[in-house]
Amino acid sequence: MKLLKTLILSGLLLSAPASADVLADKNCGSCHRLKPEEIEKSFTGPDLHYSGNKFQPEWLKQYLINPEVIRPAGFVTDPGFLPKTDLPPHASSSIEDANALTKELMTLKISTPAPVNPEPLSKGLRAKIKYQFERTFGCISCHQSLNLAGKVRGGISGPSLVNAGNRLQAAWVADLLKTPETYIAKSRMPSYKMEPATLEQFTRFLMTLKKENIK
Amino acid sequence: MLINRKFLLTGIALLIILVTACGQSEQSTSIAKPPTQQEVGEVREVNRQTLQPKIVTVTEETRQTYKWYCSQCHGVKGKGDGINAKFLTVPPRNHTKAAYLETRTNEQLFEAIKFGGLSVGRAPCMPAWGHTLAEDTIHSLVRYIRELCHCEAF
């Protein structure tokens, strides 16, 4: 019996992925939520317990090596909503660490959102949705995006969408717009009850936003 | 002749105002025809009953709601100086200025929050909060704005 217990225990230990330690080694959990059950604690960085749903692995790896600014006003958790300009930049990792971290982060998933048509939007539809992005839904008040001239425009309280097409998975974007509560208990963003067709076009529009299009 | 020119000038000025969007967009003005509500999938259900003046008292929750959502643009104290303010072409309303707010009825304020700025002929930067906030919450926010401006509608 004791032998059996030891066997099971050692089996459990061995079967735990070795790379799981990478997140702990790098102390990611001190700023980021890595498990859905961690709710009470208030984190100073964005939730990562659905990284595998949210990010494109190539972007994640590049980010870890050479971090870019996603939230120009910092990750604002303060209910008084004061910009935190004193936040240190995200640590940068070596290529090996970035590979290991990306591999591990991509396993963190909480949902299986339906895939979105990967075809890029036509120029006409892009212009139409861009118009809605600015005027119908007012997204640009809080999110930076690119205008048709390739210039960065928009507010800073929400994450920048200038590089959304490289950073995010289309299926996740669509799912977030449809059911934000799956990912964020209480967002600062208004809910939009979009028609499915609008939602799909919106997602595909966001996927056209890439930093290489900045002029 | 002079009158005709005046008309023309007013027309041009109106057009310019109409096509100006939120994000300081000099290039975003290529579309002449705005999409209809149906196209964008936003079905606006105006229930006249709920637009009637309703007094909902301001609670701590109202203040927290204002801080959480509204302060992004309107500022923590409602002075129109939120962290997004300087990035918008149309500055967010300063809720402490009675001179303007006393010209707005409570229904107009309610509609602006529930259906967005465009619904009351104001800037599109203000999104619609009708799918996010309960009607009573919106009524209490209207009361809170009245507290901030120390004013009532005429």
Side-chain angles (χ1 to χ4, degrees):
Chain A
M1 197 62 199
K2 214 173 185 181
L3 185 71
L4 191 67
K5 263 188 187 166
T6 323
L7 268 175
I8 290 170
L9 259 179
S10 55
L12 274 175
L13 282 174
L14 283 172
S15 66
S19 53
D21 298 331
V22 172
L23 296 176
D25 282 353
K26 296 289 167 192
N27 219 4
C28 305
S30 67
C31 295
H32 298 284
R33 181 177 167 193
L34 298 172
K35 293 177 187 141
E37 56 269 27
E38 298 173 310
I39 293 169
E40 302 301 321
K41 204 172 143 192
S42 89
F43 293 93
T44 53
D47 286 354
L48 293 183
H49 64 283
Y50 48 84
S51 300
N53 295 122
K54 181 176 179 181
F55 298 116
Q56 295 183 27
E58 188 49 37
W59 176 87
L60 197 51
K61 190 182 133 189
Q62 291 308 323
Y63 176 87
L64 288 164
I65 296 166
N66 187 15
E68 64 187 48
V69 175
I70 300 163
R71 290 169 172 81
F75 181 72
V76 196
T77 46
D78 182 357
F81 221 92
L82 305 166
K84 286 183 180 167
T85 42
D86 54 343
L87 266 181
H90 194 274
S92 65
S93 316
S94 66
I95 295 173
E96 299 82 63
D97 284 348
N99 276 328
L101 284 165
T102 303
K103 199 178 158 207
E104 192 51 36
L105 284 168
M106 291 310 291
T107 65
L108 305 180
K109 291 183 184 180
I110 58 168
S111 64
T112 44
V116 174
N117 179 359
E119 281 292 299
L121 272 192
S122 68
K123 223 175 173 183
L125 271 180
R126 262 176 76 179
K128 178 188 155 193
I129 302 294
K130 180 184 169 297
Y131 181 95
Q132 295 184 1
F133 183 88
E134 290 174 10
R135 289 185 63 94
T136 312
F137 298 105
C139 315
I140 200 162
S141 302
C142 299
H143 295 283
Q144 286 183 339
S145 72
L146 291 177
N147 69 5
L148 294 179
K151 298 273 184 282
V152 177
R153 290 286 180 268
I156 56 167
S157 70
S160 168
L161 298 175
V162 165
N163 202 19
N166 290 324
R167 182 163 65 97
L168 305 172
Q169 294 181 30
W172 179 81
V173 173
D175 207 34
L176 180 80
L177 286 170
K178 197 171 150 203
T179 52
E181 61 279 3
T182 310
Y183 303 97
I184 305 165
K186 194 186 176 195
S187 162
R188 279 189 149 106
M189 186 170 110
S191 309
Y192 296 102
K193 299 266 181 284
M194 289 183 191
E195 290 287 320
T198 310
L199 192 131
E200 197 215 73
Q201 288 173 1
F202 226 82
T203 304
R204 287 165 66 198
F205 166 77
L206 294 175
M207 298 310 288
T208 66
L209 301 174
K210 295 182 176 181
K211 71 175 173 189
E212 52 267 32
N213 298 335
I214 298 177
K215 280 172 198 154
Chain B
M1 197 58 201
L2 198 67
I3 295 171
N4 272 348
R5 247 178 95 178
K6 252 189 183 168
F7 263 120
L8 194 68
L9 281 176
T10 326
I12 292 169
L14 260 176
L15 254 176
I16 293 170
I17 292 167
L18 276 173
V19 292
T20 310
C22 291
Q24 310 170 355
S25 47
E26 55 304 306
Q27 286 284 315
S28 67
T29 55
S30 55
I31 306 156
K33 200 178 145 204
T36 64
Q37 287 291 336
Q38 242 138 29
E39 271 171 3
V40 299
E42 278 280 292
V43 185
R44 202 183 124 176
E45 300 150 7
V46 183
N47 181 351
R48 285 287 146 196
Q49 279 296 310
T50 63
L51 292 181
Q52 294 305 308
K54 187 176 173 185
I55 306 299
V56 175
T57 40
V58 173
T59 61
E60 187 49 32
E61 204 189 326
T62 314
R63 291 166 208 278
Q64 289 308 321
T65 304
Y66 189 93
K67 264 192 183 176
W68 185 255
Y69 298 110
C70 317
S71 71
Q72 299 183 76
C73 297
H74 294 284
V76 179
K77 300 213 163 99
K79 290 188 176 166
D81 58 353
I83 59 174
N84 290 327
K86 62 180 174 192
F87 300 100
L88 307 176
T89 21
V90 184
R93 186 66 55 198
N94 180 341
H95 289 151
T96 64
K97 282 254 162 83
Y100 175 81
L101 282 159
E102 62 190 10
T103 70
R104 299 291 108 183
T105 63
N106 290 342
E107 293 77 54
Q108 282 172 318
L109 298 181
F110 180 90
E111 274 205 58
I113 301 172
K114 188 169 169 76
F115 302 114
L118 273 184
S119 75
V120 286
R122 285 322 199 217
C125 316
M126 167 75 181
W129 293 92
H131 295 305
T132 312
L133 304 173
E135 290 199 338
D136 274 2
T137 309
I138 300 177
H139 282 299
S140 76
L141 283 170
V142 171
R143 286 315 312 158
Y144 184 52
I145 292 169
R146 293 289 175 215
E147 255 182 38
L148 287 171
C149 72
H150 301 288
C151 71
E152 290 298 334
F154 273 125

